[in-house]
Amino acid sequence: IVSVVFLIGFILWQILKADSLIETKIFKTNSFSFGVVVSLVAGAALFGSGAVFTSFSIKVLNLTLLDTGMLYLYSGFMFFLTVFLTAFLIQTLSKSPFTTIPFGLGGFSFSMYLLSLTSSQSGMEDLLAPMLLRGASMGLLFLALTIIAINSLPKSLVSYGLGVFSTTRQIGGIISIGVLNALITKDN
């Protein structure tokens, strides 16, 4: 709660202050503002699901750290492949970045649904497909979202916008991990 209050206070200070740390004019671009909000939520979903999945796989399924790490490695490999697929679709086939976003969001949601079906009797083989889908979905989502947000900025603000964009994803993830770990710890 204290962190959220300070974050809101910091944002308000930056908006009202003439010589601010953050260039607030980048948020006047609708595509960038949309991208930042979706990135914040997607970061929360990605990092939060990662925190919960790790706890679940180690504490409930009694998987080793190596097995859990291997699932993340496979997921990361799928992310890597679908980032290239997304780039190919956008650059070579001239598809709109908006083309892959629904598949990314839908795939991520479905992977979370599949993971919700697991139980204490599940094993690596039950987790592999949802984790592969999770990684692939994030690859379809994040590159397209970054392109949409950053392409709308003037060239002089692109590097600055990338920093803000990436930071919001990290902030969403950190808040999500903090809240979910607090809830997990409270229930134990």
Side-chain angles (χ1 to χ4, degrees):
I1 295 175
V2 174
S3 299
V4 173
V5 169
F6 276 107
L7 178 63
I8 292 169
F10 174 74
I11 291 170
L12 290 175
W13 182 21
Q14 294 302 304
I15 291 171
L16 301 174
K17 190 177 172 192
D19 184 30
S20 65
L21 180 65
I22 296 175
E23 281 284 346
T24 55
K25 66 182 174 182
I26 63 173
F27 292 103
K28 292 180 181 171
T29 307
N30 288 339
S31 295
F32 183 77
S33 296
F34 165 78
V36 164
V37 170
V38 175
S39 179
L40 183 79
V41 173
L46 176 66
F47 289 98
S49 66
V52 170
F53 174 76
T54 301
S55 292
F56 176 75
S57 64
I58 293 170
K59 292 180 182 178
V60 176
L61 299 180
N62 294 318
L63 293 180
T64 65
L65 291 174
L66 180 62
D67 288 341
T68 303
M70 290 304 293
L71 287 169
Y72 279 111
L73 180 66
Y74 301 143
S75 180
F77 182 68
M78 290 302 295
F79 175 85
F80 182 76
L81 288 177
T82 55
V83 163
F84 279 106
L85 173 65
T86 303
F88 175 77
L89 290 171
I90 294 169
Q91 285 187 326
T92 307
L93 301 181
S94 301
K95 297 293 182 187
S96 167
F98 286 101
T99 305
T100 62
I101 289 177
F103 293 104
L105 292 173
F108 182 78
S109 298
F110 189 63
S111 72
M112 293 298 102
Y113 169 73
L114 292 175
L115 285 172
S116 75
L117 298 176
T118 58
S119 68
S120 60
Q121 305 302 313
S122 299
M124 282 274 292
E125 61 281 351
D126 301 314
L127 302 173
L128 185 58
M131 288 300 287
L132 292 174
L133 180 58
R134 178 182 180 266
S137 301
M138 291 293 101
L140 293 170
L141 176 65
F142 281 125
L143 179 62
L145 192 57
T146 303
I147 290 171
I148 290 167
I150 300 306
N151 276 351
S152 65
L153 294 176
K155 289 188 184 224
S156 61
L157 295 175
V158 166
S159 61
Y160 185 79
L162 274 170
V164 171
F165 183 80
S166 296
T167 301
T168 57
R169 183 173 51 239
Q170 297 297 321
I171 289 171
I174 290 167
I175 291 170
S176 175
I177 288 171
V179 168
L180 291 171
N181 279 332
L183 291 172
I184 290 169
T185 304
K186 181 182 175 187
D187 288 342
N188 289 334

